[in-house]
Amino acid sequence: MSKIQNFKSNFVLIISFFTALLFMYAASSKLIDFENFRIQLGQSPLLSAFAAWIAILVPVIEILIAIVLFTPKFRFFGLLSAFALMMMFTTYIYIILNFSAYIPCSCGGILEKMTWNQHLVFNLIFVALLAVAVIYEPTNCKNRGISPTINTKRKIWVLIITAAAGSTIIVILFLLSENIIQYHNNFTRRFPQHAAQERYKIDLLYNSYYFAGTGNGKIYLGNRTAPLLITIFDLKTKTTTSHKIILNQTDMPFRVPKIRVFNQSFFVFEGAVPYVFKGSISNWIATLKINSGVRFSQAEPTDSINLTVRYKSPQSGENLLGILNTSDSLAVRYAPDILQKQIDGVFDTDGSLHFNTNLDKIVYVYRYRNQYSVADRNLVLQYRGNTIDTISRAQLEIAEVGKSKVTKLAKRALVVNKSSTVSGNYLYVHSLLPGQYDAQSVWKNASIIDIYDLIKKSYQSSFYVYHIKNKKMRSFIVVDNHLFALINNHLVCYEFLDHLIPKN
């Protein structure tokens, strides 16, 4: 055997060994923590519709390829199969980075510390090594009267066809999954011409802001990276000022405090602890009012004393609404009939809580179904309304993971109403479901806001809020006849024209 042949033989053996080792480790990791692997696939923006059978198929294929690679007679087919599988993985990562709606968490196993870009580079290197190994691996073509030169060319064509086929399969799965998850519903939106026009945008420099409230001709912005900093945007002068909130007690177990401004008061709270501070916007000094009681996940002020909150039921762990009096932490009133359980009472009742000062009503908009509830400030149910899409039941698959039996979403859930706000007589909903005649080109470049009349209990119309440099709207509020949206690091102002929202 010549030195070149010896090098090729050793190269093939080394690549076969490391590929088999990688695949066996990857397969065993998936099977040992199978439920978590299935959940990760289910939350993938590409393969969630096929998570159940892909979760089984992938580790089985990896094990079979590893076995074949240790069988000299079939090693060529093992290397070719490994090349195809790695090419599919590489295409998957490329689509995740460039075409998916979001980038999920990195996968587990030996490569869990890598970023998605590092995964891509690693896979490309491995694909190249496998391609060389396929070319170097003898296939006994000489016995069929085929010259070595032609044989190498055929191998290159086989590699090209295999790579194209593997990539095509992933692209088809991606397109089918998106069609199943984000299918067109049988409903039609109304888009008045030039309904809302962008007036200006302010560069806030950072993308960590959130809306903490409005009033007094101002918009109040909290900051997730500076939790006790309040930034005030003056609607008249279009300038911003900032204040540091001072708390009278700083030994609390702070994690991610939230701020809500209501009239002349403001609240700083964290429901997981729980605690609530209250202060005046005249000096931004807050006093601790509550530091014990039932944990909550959302809170909206209804006056200077009371907060409407979404609690975790101490008995069942399910979500329910209640009223928290900051003057008396024991005076908690629950309203168990507002939120309607469909599956588990937690994920299926997730949504957004609002207080409409104009109507003096509490509005709760479900995230995973086409429903919202309207109650008075005492949490007496007034009526249940529906958004215009057809998803009346939350499409969720929930699983328990680990010994602690922690519940997680087993697959990416179908989000119906991503975010919402209330103003005047209206409810504004950022919907994620395309209508029957919605243009796909618009969905790629804008967010859709649907408007509902809370008095007439009906759908009104829709309009667009356009992305900025491919960055989507994170959240929004409405002040009088203007919508303000946070898009990347910008505060964007849209003005409604008169025909979008008829006068009452």
Side-chain angles (χ1 to χ4, degrees), residues 311-446:
Y311 285 106
K312 288 286 186 183
S313 170
Q315 289 76 32
S316 64
E318 298 174 4
N319 292 325
L320 75 161
L321 297 186
I323 298 174
L324 178 62
N325 187 316
T326 56
S327 298
D328 184 359
S329 61
L330 298 178
V332 177
R333 288 179 288 160
Y334 298 108
D337 61 328
I338 303 292
L339 303 185
Q340 290 185 306
K341 176 181 176 180
Q342 290 184 336
I343 303 171
D344 68 332
V346 180
F347 290 106
D348 64 337
T349 56
D350 190 17
S352 302
L353 177 63
H354 309 287
F355 179 66
N356 187 309
T357 54
N358 185 68
L359 299 177
D360 201 30
K361 302 292 185 185
I362 294 164
V363 181
Y364 190 87
V365 184
Y366 289 98
R367 181 176 176 83
Y368 299 115
R369 54 177 127 153
N370 65 345
Q371 191 180 80
Y372 60 90
S373 298
V374 178
D376 64 20
R377 64 165 51 241
N378 296 313
L379 283 179
V380 176
L381 182 67
Q382 303 294 294
Y383 70 90
R384 302 187 195 278
N386 293 101
T387 53
I388 57 176
D389 59 89
T390 59
I391 310 300
S392 60
R393 185 172 179 82
Q395 298 186 11
L396 305 172
E397 186 176 334
I398 300 167
E400 293 182 345
V401 180
K403 296 180 180 179
S404 60
K405 299 297 182 180
V406 175
T407 56
K408 290 184 177 181
L409 291 177
K411 61 185 297 185
R412 185 163 63 105
L414 178 66
V415 177
V416 177
N417 304 311
K418 183 178 181 181
S419 60
S420 53
T421 192
V422 291
S423 180
N425 295 343
Y426 298 96
L427 165 66
Y428 302 81
V429 178
H430 176 197
S431 174
L432 291 190
L433 295 184
Q436 191 172 17
Y437 303 111
D438 292 359
Q440 287 299 308
S441 57
V442 175
W443 276 88
K444 294 178 180 178
N445 298 293

Side-chain angles (χ1 to χ4, degrees), residues 20-36:
L21 186 65
L22 177 66
F23 280 14
M24 285 298 292
Y25 176 84
S28 60
S29 297
K30 294 179 180 72
L31 293 175
I32 289 172
D33 198 9
F34 179 76
E35 190 63 23
N36 197 43

Side-chain angles (χ1 to χ4, degrees), residues 128-152:
L129 292 173
L130 284 168
V132 175
V134 168
I135 294 173
Y136 283 173
E137 173 65 13
T139 55
N140 297 322
C141 290
K142 292 181 180 179
N143 298 335
R144 304 190 192 103
I146 302 174
S147 69
T149 303
I150 300 297
N151 186 42
T152 299

Side-chain angles (χ1 to χ4, degrees), residues 56-70:
I56 298 173
L57 192 61
V58 169
V60 169
I61 291 176
E62 288 175 334
I63 291 172
L64 290 176
I65 291 176
I67 294 172
V68 172
L69 286 171
F70 282 116

Side-chain angles (χ1 to χ4, degrees), residues 25 47 59-60 76 100 137 201 223 266 327 331 423 459 465 479:
Y25 176 84
L47 305 175
V60 169
F76 174 80
S100 68
E137 173 65 13
K201 56 176 174 281
N223 193 319
F266 73 95
S327 298
S423 180
Y459 165 69
V465 174
V479 181

Side-chain angles (χ1 to χ4, degrees), residues 54 58-59 85 93 110 123 149 170 204 237 276 278 333 339 346 396 467:
I54 290 180
V58 169
L85 191 61
I93 294 172
I110 196 171
N123 280 20
T149 303
I170 295 298
L204 299 173
T237 63
V276 178
K278 179 193 167 186
R333 288 179 288 160
L339 303 185
V346 180
L396 305 172
H467 306 336

